[in-house]
Amino acid sequence: MTVRELKTRLRAEARARRGARSSAEHRELTPGVTEAVSNLITELGATSVAIFLSTPQEPQTRDAIRVLSAQGVRLYAPISLPEGRMVWTPVDANTPERSGLGGMPEPDVGAGAASQAITVDAVICPAAAVDDTGTRLGWGGGFYDRFLSELPAGTPVFALVFDDDVVGDLPGEAHDVPVWGVVTPHGWRRCERR
């Protein structure tokens, strides 16, 4: 099996795991996600953060956005472009949303409100899975790998996943950008470096 085939299989397994959770189970995990994200941002001393608007199957970010923006943290969420890149726009608890590329939730803002380049103290990114060394399995579009590869060296990047999405070992390729750590409904931690 090739690395690409293995990644496809692992993504399908992640979708199945997440799809098996009920809406009630997702709601029960949201307070833990909010607390873990908030604790991480406080620990990092970050005042500007790139975050994403989660799908119903992902750990929910709306409450974390509400809490962090109330604390004065500047938050930015992406808008995906057809050429595989993202632009960023400020978000808070009142930012309207729309369905973007592939049905992904994104801020519903005017064209002039988004920027290709942002300067942030930390990044909270989505993932299908993360291993103990920080290898991140994305969803296959390459949007985040492109973005993460362009960040200034030393920018803390944490993947937001469920506890069962943290696995022992994932296949990696040259274009895969490792994350510093992982945030789950039960807390956050740094990954071991190889």
Side-chain angles (χ1 to χ4, degrees):
M1 179 179 297
T2 67
V3 170
R4 180 167 288 194
E5 291 168 336
L6 179 54
K7 285 182 168 185
T8 299
R9 190 189 86 204
L10 292 170
R11 287 183 187 108
E13 290 172 1
R15 283 188 183 93
R17 270 194 319 272
R18 291 178 177 197
R21 283 190 183 90
S22 69
S23 295
E25 289 171 312
H26 279 278
R27 282 192 302 275
E28 288 171 10
L29 295 171
T30 298
V33 170
T34 302
E35 182 178 356
V37 171
S38 182
N39 288 344
L40 170 63
I41 298 310
T42 299
E43 178 73 21
L44 293 173
T47 60
S48 59
V49 177
I51 196 165
F52 62 100
L53 301 179
S54 53
T55 68
Q57 289 74 38
E58 292 177 307
Q60 292 304 298
T61 58
R62 298 330 180 278
D63 284 354
I65 289 169
R66 179 183 49 77
V67 167
L68 292 172
S69 62
Q71 294 172 353
V73 177
R74 290 184 322 264
L75 300 165
Y76 300 88
I79 297 171
S80 299
L81 303 177
E83 64 269 15
R85 300 193 79 64
M86 297 184 295
V87 292
W88 296 83
T89 188
V91 293
D92 62 25
N94 299 313
T95 302
E97 297 180 27
R98 67 178 178 220
S99 182
L101 278 182
M104 300 301 291
E106 63 184 29
D108 188 6
V109 297
S115 173
Q116 288 189 13
I118 55 170
T119 301
V120 292
D121 300 325
V123 176
I124 305 295
C125 67
V130 180
D131 73 15
D132 296 326
T133 65
T135 300
R136 174 187 166 272
L137 177 66
W139 293 105
F143 289 88
Y144 268 89
D145 281 322
R146 287 181 197 92
F147 168 66
L148 297 177
S149 70
E150 296 168 357
L151 287 173
T155 303
V157 177
F158 284 76
L160 176 57
V161 295
F162 294 108
D163 292 282
D164 55 2
D165 296 322
V166 181
V167 299
D169 192 36
L170 286 171
E173 297 177 276
H175 65 269
D176 293 325
V177 179
V179 296
W180 282 39
V182 62
V183 183
T184 74
H186 292 97
W188 67 270
R189 65 181 170 87
R190 293 187 187 272
C191 292
E192 304 167 9
R193 296 295 176 151
R194 291 184 184 173

Short mmCIF file of all heavy atoms in Angstrom, two decimals, residues 37 40-52 68 73-76 88 118-125 147-148 151-152 154-158 180:
data_model
loop_
_atom_site.label_atom_id
_atom_site.label_comp_id
_atom_site.label_asym_id
_atom_site.label_seq_id
_atom_site.Cartn_x
_atom_site.Cartn_y
_atom_site.Cartn_z
N VAL A 37 -8.79 24.78 24.61
CA VAL A 37 -8.29 25.82 23.69
C VAL A 37 -7.98 27.09 24.47
O VAL A 37 -6.91 27.70 24.30
CB VAL A 37 -9.29 26.08 22.55
CG1 VAL A 37 -8.87 27.31 21.75
CG2 VAL A 37 -9.41 24.87 21.64
N LEU A 40 -4.82 26.69 26.54
CA LEU A 40 -3.62 26.71 25.70
C LEU A 40 -3.26 28.14 25.30
O LEU A 40 -2.10 28.56 25.42
CB LEU A 40 -3.84 25.87 24.45
CG LEU A 40 -2.76 26.00 23.37
CD1 LEU A 40 -1.40 25.53 23.86
CD2 LEU A 40 -3.17 25.26 22.11
N ILE A 41 -4.24 28.90 24.82
CA ILE A 41 -3.97 30.26 24.37
C ILE A 41 -3.47 31.11 25.53
O ILE A 41 -2.56 31.94 25.38
CB ILE A 41 -5.22 30.86 23.70
CG1 ILE A 41 -5.62 30.04 22.46
CG2 ILE A 41 -5.00 32.32 23.34
CD1 ILE A 41 -4.50 29.76 21.48
N THR A 42 -4.04 30.92 26.72
CA THR A 42 -3.57 31.64 27.91
C THR A 42 -2.13 31.25 28.24
O THR A 42 -1.29 32.11 28.50
CB THR A 42 -4.49 31.34 29.11
OG1 THR A 42 -5.81 31.80 28.80
CG2 THR A 42 -3.99 32.02 30.37
N GLU A 43 -1.84 29.96 28.22
CA GLU A 43 -0.48 29.48 28.52
C GLU A 43 0.54 30.04 27.53
O GLU A 43 1.66 30.40 27.91
CB GLU A 43 -0.46 27.95 28.49
CG GLU A 43 0.90 27.33 28.74
CD GLU A 43 1.37 27.42 30.18
OE1 GLU A 43 0.53 27.60 31.09
OE2 GLU A 43 2.59 27.32 30.40
N LEU A 44 0.16 30.11 26.26
CA LEU A 44 1.06 30.64 25.24
C LEU A 44 1.19 32.16 25.31
O LEU A 44 2.11 32.73 24.73
CB LEU A 44 0.57 30.24 23.84
CG LEU A 44 0.61 28.75 23.48
CD1 LEU A 44 -0.07 28.52 22.12
CD2 LEU A 44 2.04 28.22 23.47
N GLY A 45 0.24 32.81 25.97
CA GLY A 45 0.23 34.27 26.01
C GLY A 45 -0.10 34.87 24.65
O GLY A 45 0.27 36.00 24.35
N ALA A 46 -0.84 34.13 23.85
CA ALA A 46 -1.16 34.57 22.48
C ALA A 46 -2.26 35.62 22.51
O ALA A 46 -3.25 35.48 23.23
CB ALA A 46 -1.59 33.37 21.63
N THR A 47 -2.09 36.67 21.71
CA THR A 47 -3.11 37.70 21.59
C THR A 47 -3.75 37.71 20.20
O THR A 47 -4.72 38.42 19.98
CB THR A 47 -2.52 39.09 21.89
OG1 THR A 47 -1.48 39.37 20.96
CG2 THR A 47 -1.99 39.17 23.32
N SER A 48 -3.19 36.94 19.28
CA SER A 48 -3.77 36.79 17.95
C SER A 48 -3.63 35.34 17.52
O SER A 48 -2.55 34.76 17.64
CB SER A 48 -3.09 37.72 16.94
OG SER A 48 -1.71 37.45 16.87
N VAL A 49 -4.73 34.76 17.06
CA VAL A 49 -4.77 33.31 16.81
C VAL A 49 -5.52 33.01 15.52
O VAL A 49 -6.60 33.55 15.28
CB VAL A 49 -5.48 32.58 17.99
CG1 VAL A 49 -5.59 31.08 17.72
CG2 VAL A 49 -4.75 32.84 19.30
N ALA A 50 -4.95 32.14 14.70
CA ALA A 50 -5.66 31.58 13.55
C ALA A 50 -6.42 30.36 14.05
O ALA A 50 -5.85 29.49 14.72
CB ALA A 50 -4.69 31.19 12.45
N ILE A 51 -7.71 30.31 13.75
CA ILE A 51 -8.57 29.21 14.18
C ILE A 51 -9.48 28.89 13.00
O ILE A 51 -9.43 29.58 11.98
CB ILE A 51 -9.35 29.60 15.46
CG1 ILE A 51 -9.94 28.37 16.16
CG2 ILE A 51 -10.37 30.69 15.18
CD1 ILE A 51 -10.39 28.65 17.59
N PHE A 52 -10.28 27.87 13.09
CA PHE A 52 -11.16 27.50 11.99
C PHE A 52 -12.59 27.37 12.49
O PHE A 52 -12.83 27.19 13.68
CB PHE A 52 -10.70 26.20 11.33
CG PHE A 52 -10.72 25.00 12.25
CD1 PHE A 52 -11.76 24.09 12.20
CD2 PHE A 52 -9.70 24.78 13.17
CE1 PHE A 52 -11.80 22.99 13.06
CE2 PHE A 52 -9.72 23.69 14.03
CZ PHE A 52 -10.77 22.79 13.97
N LEU A 68 -12.63 33.37 23.68
CA LEU A 68 -11.37 34.05 23.39
C LEU A 68 -11.59 35.49 22.93
O LEU A 68 -10.85 36.40 23.33
CB LEU A 68 -10.57 33.27 22.35
CG LEU A 68 -10.03 31.92 22.83
CD1 LEU A 68 -9.43 31.15 21.66
CD2 LEU A 68 -9.01 32.09 23.95
N VAL A 73 -8.72 38.42 22.60
CA VAL A 73 -7.84 37.75 21.63
C VAL A 73 -8.36 38.02 20.23
O VAL A 73 -9.56 37.89 19.97
CB VAL A 73 -7.77 36.23 21.90
CG1 VAL A 73 -6.92 35.53 20.85
CG2 VAL A 73 -7.25 35.95 23.31
N ARG A 74 -7.48 38.46 19.32
CA ARG A 74 -7.85 38.65 17.91
C ARG A 74 -7.84 37.27 17.24
O ARG A 74 -6.83 36.56 17.29
CB ARG A 74 -6.87 39.59 17.22
CG ARG A 74 -6.99 41.02 17.68
CD ARG A 74 -6.06 41.95 16.89
NE ARG A 74 -4.77 41.35 16.58
CZ ARG A 74 -3.66 41.54 17.31
NH1 ARG A 74 -3.66 42.31 18.36
NH2 ARG A 74 -2.53 40.96 16.96
N LEU A 75 -8.94 36.94 16.60
CA LEU A 75 -9.09 35.63 15.96
C LEU A 75 -9.29 35.81 14.47
O LEU A 75 -9.97 36.73 14.02
CB LEU A 75 -10.28 34.88 16.56
CG LEU A 75 -10.18 34.62 18.06
CD1 LEU A 75 -11.52 34.22 18.62
CD2 LEU A 75 -9.14 33.55 18.34
N TYR A 76 -8.71 34.88 13.70
CA TYR A 76 -8.83 34.89 12.24
C TYR A 76 -9.24 33.50 11.79
O TYR A 76 -8.72 32.50 12.27
CB TYR A 76 -7.49 35.25 11.59
CG TYR A 76 -6.97 36.60 11.98
CD1 TYR A 76 -6.18 36.76 13.11
CD2 TYR A 76 -7.29 37.72 11.22
CE1 TYR A 76 -5.71 38.01 13.49
CE2 TYR A 76 -6.82 38.98 11.59
CZ TYR A 76 -6.03 39.11 12.72
OH TYR A 76 -5.57 40.35 13.09
N TRP A 88 -7.66 35.00 5.00
CA TRP A 88 -8.06 35.06 6.39
C TRP A 88 -8.82 36.33 6.70
O TRP A 88 -8.53 37.38 6.15
CB TRP A 88 -6.81 34.96 7.27
CG TRP A 88 -6.13 33.65 7.09
CD1 TRP A 88 -5.25 33.31 6.11
CD2 TRP A 88 -6.31 32.49 7.88
NE1 TRP A 88 -4.87 32.00 6.25
CE2 TRP A 88 -5.51 31.46 7.32
CE3 TRP A 88 -7.08 32.19 9.01
CZ2 TRP A 88 -5.44 30.19 7.87
CZ3 TRP A 88 -7.02 30.92 9.55
CH2 TRP A 88 -6.21 29.93 8.97
N ILE A 118 -1.51 36.86 7.32
CA ILE A 118 -1.84 37.32 8.67
C ILE A 118 -0.64 37.06 9.56
O ILE A 118 0.18 36.17 9.29
CB ILE A 118 -3.08 36.61 9.23
CG1 ILE A 118 -2.92 35.08 9.20
CG2 ILE A 118 -4.34 37.05 8.52
CD1 ILE A 118 -3.99 34.32 9.94
N THR A 119 -0.54 37.84 10.60
CA THR A 119 0.49 37.62 11.60
C THR A 119 -0.22 37.20 12.88
O THR A 119 -1.05 37.93 13.40
CB THR A 119 1.29 38.92 11.85
OG1 THR A 119 1.87 39.33 10.62
CG2 THR A 119 2.38 38.69 12.88
N VAL A 120 0.10 35.99 13.35
CA VAL A 120 -0.57 35.46 14.53
C VAL A 120 0.47 34.89 15.50
O VAL A 120 1.59 34.53 15.10
CB VAL A 120 -1.60 34.37 14.18
CG1 VAL A 120 -2.78 34.96 13.43
CG2 VAL A 120 -0.98 33.24 13.37
N ASP A 121 0.07 34.81 16.76
CA ASP A 121 0.93 34.24 17.80
C ASP A 121 0.80 32.73 17.89
O ASP A 121 1.66 32.07 18.47
CB ASP A 121 0.58 34.84 19.16
CG ASP A 121 0.75 36.34 19.20
OD1 ASP A 121 1.68 36.85 18.55
OD2 ASP A 121 -0.06 37.01 19.89
N ALA A 122 -0.30 32.18 17.37
CA ALA A 122 -0.54 30.74 17.45
C ALA A 122 -1.57 30.34 16.41
O ALA A 122 -2.34 31.17 15.93
CB ALA A 122 -1.03 30.35 18.85
N VAL A 123 -1.58 29.04 16.10
CA VAL A 123 -2.53 28.48 15.13
C VAL A 123 -3.21 27.27 15.76
O VAL A 123 -2.54 26.39 16.31
CB VAL A 123 -1.82 28.06 13.83
CG1 VAL A 123 -2.80 27.39 12.87
CG2 VAL A 123 -1.13 29.24 13.17
N ILE A 124 -4.53 27.23 15.66
CA ILE A 124 -5.33 26.05 15.99
C ILE A 124 -5.87 25.54 14.66
O ILE A 124 -6.67 26.21 14.02
CB ILE A 124 -6.50 26.38 16.94
CG1 ILE A 124 -6.02 27.09 18.21
CG2 ILE A 124 -7.30 25.13 17.26
CD1 ILE A 124 -5.14 26.25 19.10
N CYS A 125 -5.42 24.37 14.24
CA CYS A 125 -5.80 23.87 12.91
C CYS A 125 -6.57 22.55 13.02
O CYS A 125 -6.43 21.81 13.98
CB CYS A 125 -4.58 23.72 12.02
SG CYS A 125 -3.42 22.44 12.52
N PHE A 147 -0.50 26.74 4.06
CA PHE A 147 -0.51 27.83 5.03
C PHE A 147 0.57 27.65 6.09
O PHE A 147 1.35 28.57 6.38
CB PHE A 147 -1.89 27.95 5.68
CG PHE A 147 -1.93 28.84 6.87
CD1 PHE A 147 -1.71 30.21 6.75
CD2 PHE A 147 -2.18 28.33 8.14
CE1 PHE A 147 -1.75 31.05 7.86
CE2 PHE A 147 -2.22 29.16 9.25
CZ PHE A 147 -2.01 30.52 9.11
N LEU A 148 0.64 26.46 6.69
CA LEU A 148 1.60 26.21 7.77
C LEU A 148 3.04 26.33 7.29
O LEU A 148 3.91 26.79 8.03
CB LEU A 148 1.36 24.84 8.38
CG LEU A 148 0.00 24.63 9.05
CD1 LEU A 148 -0.14 23.20 9.55
CD2 LEU A 148 -0.23 25.63 10.18
N LEU A 151 4.31 29.97 7.53
CA LEU A 151 4.36 30.67 8.81
C LEU A 151 5.79 30.97 9.21
O LEU A 151 6.71 30.21 8.88
CB LEU A 151 3.73 29.80 9.91
CG LEU A 151 2.22 29.64 9.92
CD1 LEU A 151 1.82 28.62 10.97
CD2 LEU A 151 1.53 30.97 10.17
N PRO A 152 6.02 32.05 9.96
CA PRO A 152 7.36 32.31 10.49
C PRO A 152 7.79 31.15 11.39
O PRO A 152 6.97 30.57 12.12
CB PRO A 152 7.18 33.59 11.30
CG PRO A 152 5.95 34.25 10.76
CD PRO A 152 5.07 33.13 10.30
N GLY A 154 8.92 29.04 14.37
CA GLY A 154 8.65 29.21 15.78
C GLY A 154 7.21 29.53 16.13
O GLY A 154 6.87 29.66 17.31
N THR A 155 6.33 29.66 15.13
CA THR A 155 4.91 29.90 15.42
C THR A 155 4.29 28.61 15.96
O THR A 155 4.32 27.59 15.28
CB THR A 155 4.15 30.34 14.16
OG1 THR A 155 4.77 31.51 13.61
CG2 THR A 155 2.69 30.64 14.49
N PRO A 156 3.74 28.63 17.16
CA PRO A 156 3.13 27.42 17.72
C PRO A 156 1.89 27.00 16.92
O PRO A 156 1.01 27.82 16.68
CB PRO A 156 2.74 27.83 19.14
CG PRO A 156 3.52 29.06 19.44
CD PRO A 156 3.73 29.74 18.12
N VAL A 157 1.87 25.75 16.53
CA VAL A 157 0.74 25.20 15.77
C VAL A 157 0.23 23.97 16.52
O VAL A 157 1.00 23.05 16.80
CB VAL A 157 1.16 24.79 14.34
CG1 VAL A 157 0.00 24.15 13.60
CG2 VAL A 157 1.71 25.99 13.57
N PHE A 158 -1.06 23.98 16.84
CA PHE A 158 -1.68 22.87 17.55
C PHE A 158 -2.87 22.37 16.74
O PHE A 158 -3.68 23.17 16.27
CB PHE A 158 -2.15 23.31 18.94
CG PHE A 158 -1.03 23.44 19.92
CD1 PHE A 158 -0.18 24.54 19.88
CD2 PHE A 158 -0.80 22.47 20.88
CE1 PHE A 158 0.87 24.67 20.77
CE2 PHE A 158 0.25 22.59 21.78
CZ PHE A 158 1.09 23.70 21.73
N TRP A 180 3.10 21.41 16.66
CA TRP A 180 3.78 21.44 17.95
C TRP A 180 3.10 20.55 18.97
O TRP A 180 3.73 20.00 19.87
CB TRP A 180 3.76 22.86 18.51
CG TRP A 180 4.74 23.80 17.93
CD1 TRP A 180 5.13 23.90 16.63
CD2 TRP A 180 5.46 24.80 18.64
NE1 TRP A 180 6.03 24.93 16.49
CE2 TRP A 180 6.24 25.50 17.71
CE3 TRP A 180 5.47 25.21 19.98
CZ2 TRP A 180 7.07 26.55 18.07
CZ3 TRP A 180 6.29 26.26 20.33
CH2 TRP A 180 7.08 26.92 19.40
#
